[in-house]
């Protein structure tokens, strides 16, 4: 039986994990929320099909690719590198947790293949120089157009937000593909909306069963909550129709930016005394004219 030396144990304890790597990427981007155009989930109403690029991930069972894409959006969303991010292929592999089940070389190859799939879907471009891979973000609608930060001024430019806690708290490690897809669907709509499973094939491009399993998993994880909604229906046997409304729980809602208090000027003891004396002098001077006007 192979024994592990103390040096090898120390190395394993010191080695960064996939979550460590994802957290470091988010910290570098300096964003508490990651913006993602809603067109990635569902095309605008005037489109020939309502299916967004997300449908290809779900029908292709590409959970690894979807997770990688969302993290790339997070890494590039600050725009500091011109919507690019660059890492060694080993870092990309660790970011995607491929290193947990593959040798180093196989993990590097797996990371490159995952990125190439995203490129084939016109969501990114990727280039490789030696062991370094550079990824450039493209527009989320899969059109291949250059990426620009969404500002929400048109329907094609509306965006949802994913809080960084999704990665830093490890929820990305708990969701399966239906759950992750439905998390984006729920995030796309306003709080307490309906998400009828029978509309999923037409609206999103996946089955009603996938839709229902995704919502159930999100509720089991505490990422989404629901409540019943009753509508009067005179011709229904019960006289009403019940449907569930859903919204994200607090942990998955966008974080509000912290308000910074205005800095107050420093006041020294000498300044305080002079201020008090000046106030007394002003008060005395003001009182005399007031008394004269009273006469």
């Amino acid at each position: 039986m192979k024994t592990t030396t103390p040096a090898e144990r120390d190395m394993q304890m010191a080695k960064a994990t996939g979550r460590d790597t994802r957290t470091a990427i988010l910290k570098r981007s300096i964003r508490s929320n990651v913006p993602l155009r809603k067109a990635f989930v569902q095309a605008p109403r005037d489109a020939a099909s309502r299916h967004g690029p997300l449908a290809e991930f779900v029908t292709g069972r590409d959970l690894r690719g979807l997770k990688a894409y969302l993290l790339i959006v997070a890494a590039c969303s600050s725009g500091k590198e011109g919507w690019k991010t660059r890492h060694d292929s080993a870092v990309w592999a660790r970011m995607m947790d491929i290193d947990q089940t593959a040798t180093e070389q196989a993990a590097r190859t797996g990371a490159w293949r995952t990125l190439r799939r995203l490129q084939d879907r016109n969501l990114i471009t990727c280039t490789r120089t030696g062991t370094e891979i550079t990824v450039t973000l493209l527009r989320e609608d899969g059109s291949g157009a250059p990426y620009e930060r969404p500002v929400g001024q048109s329907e094609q430019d509306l965006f949802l937000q994913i809080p960084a806690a999704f990665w830093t708290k490890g929820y990305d490690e708990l969701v399966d593909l239906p759950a992750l897809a439905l998390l984006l669907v729920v995030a796309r709509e306003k709080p307490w909306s309906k998400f009828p499973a029978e509309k999923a094939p037409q609206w999103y491009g996946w089955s009603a069963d996938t839709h229902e399993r995704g919502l159930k998993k999100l509720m089991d994880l505490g990422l989404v909550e629901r409540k019943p909604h009753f509508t009067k229906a005179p011709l229904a046997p019960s006289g009403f129709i019940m449907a569930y409304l859903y919204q994200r729980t607090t942990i998955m809602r966008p974080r509000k930016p912290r308000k910074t208090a205005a800095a107050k000027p420093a006041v020294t003891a000498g300044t305080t005394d002079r201020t008090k004396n000046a106030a007394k002098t002003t008060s005395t001077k003001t009182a005399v004219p007031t008394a004269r006007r009273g006469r």
Side-chain angles (χ1 to χ4, degrees), residues 172-190:
D172 63 312
E173 302 166 24
L174 303 176
V175 293
D176 56 13
L177 186 54
L180 182 52
L182 266 294
L183 180 63
L184 297 176
V185 166
V186 175
R188 186 185 187 280
E189 305 300 335
K190 62 183 180 181

Side-chain angles (χ1 to χ4, degrees), residues 54 56-71 96 114 117-118 121 166 171-181:
L54 176 60
E56 293 188 35
F57 290 90
V58 178
T59 57
R61 299 181 179 180
D62 190 6
L63 177 59
R64 176 182 293 169
L66 179 54
K67 287 183 176 182
Y69 174 66
L70 294 178
L71 198 60
M96 302 177 198
T114 300
R117 289 201 303 274
L118 300 181
R121 292 171 181 151
F166 174 69
Y171 291 109
D172 63 312
E173 302 166 24
L174 303 176
V175 293
D176 56 13
L177 186 54
L180 182 52

Side-chain angles (χ1 to χ4, degrees), residues 96-113:
M96 302 177 198
D97 289 326
I98 305 176
D99 63 321
Q100 295 182 4
T101 56
T103 63
E104 180 182 346
Q105 187 55 47
R108 288 176 181 269
T109 302
W112 175 246
R113 288 176 177 172

